[in-house]
Amino acid sequence: MARSRAAYEYTEAEDKSMRLGFLLIAAGLLSLLGLGCCWLRPALQERGGGGSANCTVLAVRQLGERFACTFSCGAACRGTARYPCLQVLVRTSRSSAPALLHEDERQLRTNPKCSYIPPCARDDQENSENVTYKQKYWKEKVGSQPFTCYFNQHLRPDDVMLKRTHDETVLLHCFLWPVVTLLVGVLIVVLTICAKSLAVKAEAIKKKKH
């Protein structure tokens, strides 16, 4: 009995391999739990009750109101500039009521009153020019052409998005890498145990022959 127990004692290398495997398993489980609670569930809630539709531009306008943005001009250089508010009103194929278009969910949360937030420049005039360029784009290049937009009737019934921040690819990666980490950890542990078991059996067969 003592000999059998001694035979199954792991070497230092095998012990390190087992520890690495259990560490990867724990990291994979914690990543799945953390991403599920802190990121995946809110993302699915944003997608829940939503879908895609065809949108058509109704009006493009600039409001008189200006909003503040923060620009960076170096490691220790930050400042505040202002940009005009551009609104793009659209009609969706799901509803006849006008809706306000946004770039994505992040832009909607940052400034729900406007359709576009330009890259914040130090000069207010440059910010105004960027917004005016975007205004011409929607008026002249898009015009009355239909395009795909996304909505969520439960969370934001009066707003639509041009693109989703949490698309299928991001959700796939949210699951993929923690699962891969978990499987690699399980594989390391299983291979280490199998290798040890085979080594013990080989040693026992060798002793029987002698």
Side-chain angles (χ1 to χ4, degrees), residues 38-175:
C38 302
W39 193 90
L40 183 60
R41 187 172 64 178
L44 291 177
Q45 286 176 349
E46 286 183 1
R47 293 172 61 84
S52 61
N54 288 327
C55 282
T56 307
V57 176
L58 292 177
V60 184
R61 65 193 183 191
Q62 282 193 34
L63 301 182
E65 188 176 1
R66 286 177 170 262
F67 291 87
C69 63
T70 303
F71 64 86
S72 175
C73 49
C77 176
R78 297 175 69 86
T80 302
R82 305 188 76 80
Y83 64 92
C85 181
L86 175 67
Q87 287 190 338
V88 180
L89 299 176
V90 299
R91 178 185 289 118
T92 70
S93 56
R94 299 294 185 93
S95 174
S96 58
L100 184 61
L101 180 68
H102 300 273
E103 291 282 323
D104 51 28
E105 289 96 341
R106 188 179 294 109
Q107 184 268 313
L108 172 60
R109 289 192 296 268
T110 302
N111 189 341
K113 197 170 184 179
C114 305
S115 297
Y116 174 66
I117 300 176
C120 193
R122 191 169 189 170
D123 185 13
D124 290 358
Q125 181 62 31
E126 184 177 347
N127 292 327
S128 297
E129 290 174 357
N130 287 335
V131 172
T132 301
Y133 175 81
K134 184 65 73 170
Q135 182 179 6
K136 290 181 179 179
Y137 168 81
W138 284 107
K139 276 188 175 181
E140 299 173 5
K141 292 190 176 181
V142 178
S144 59
Q145 298 177 10
F147 58 93
T148 302
C149 61
Y150 302 93
F151 64 92
N152 193 314
Q153 293 179 342
H154 297 330
L155 296 179
R156 307 287 303 197
D158 298 326
D159 299 280
V160 295
M161 272 70 68
L162 186 61
K163 58 185 178 181
R164 280 175 170 161
T165 304
H166 307 298
D167 59 8
E168 287 80 2
T169 304
V170 176
L171 295 178
L172 174 63
H173 283 285
C174 181
F175 271 117

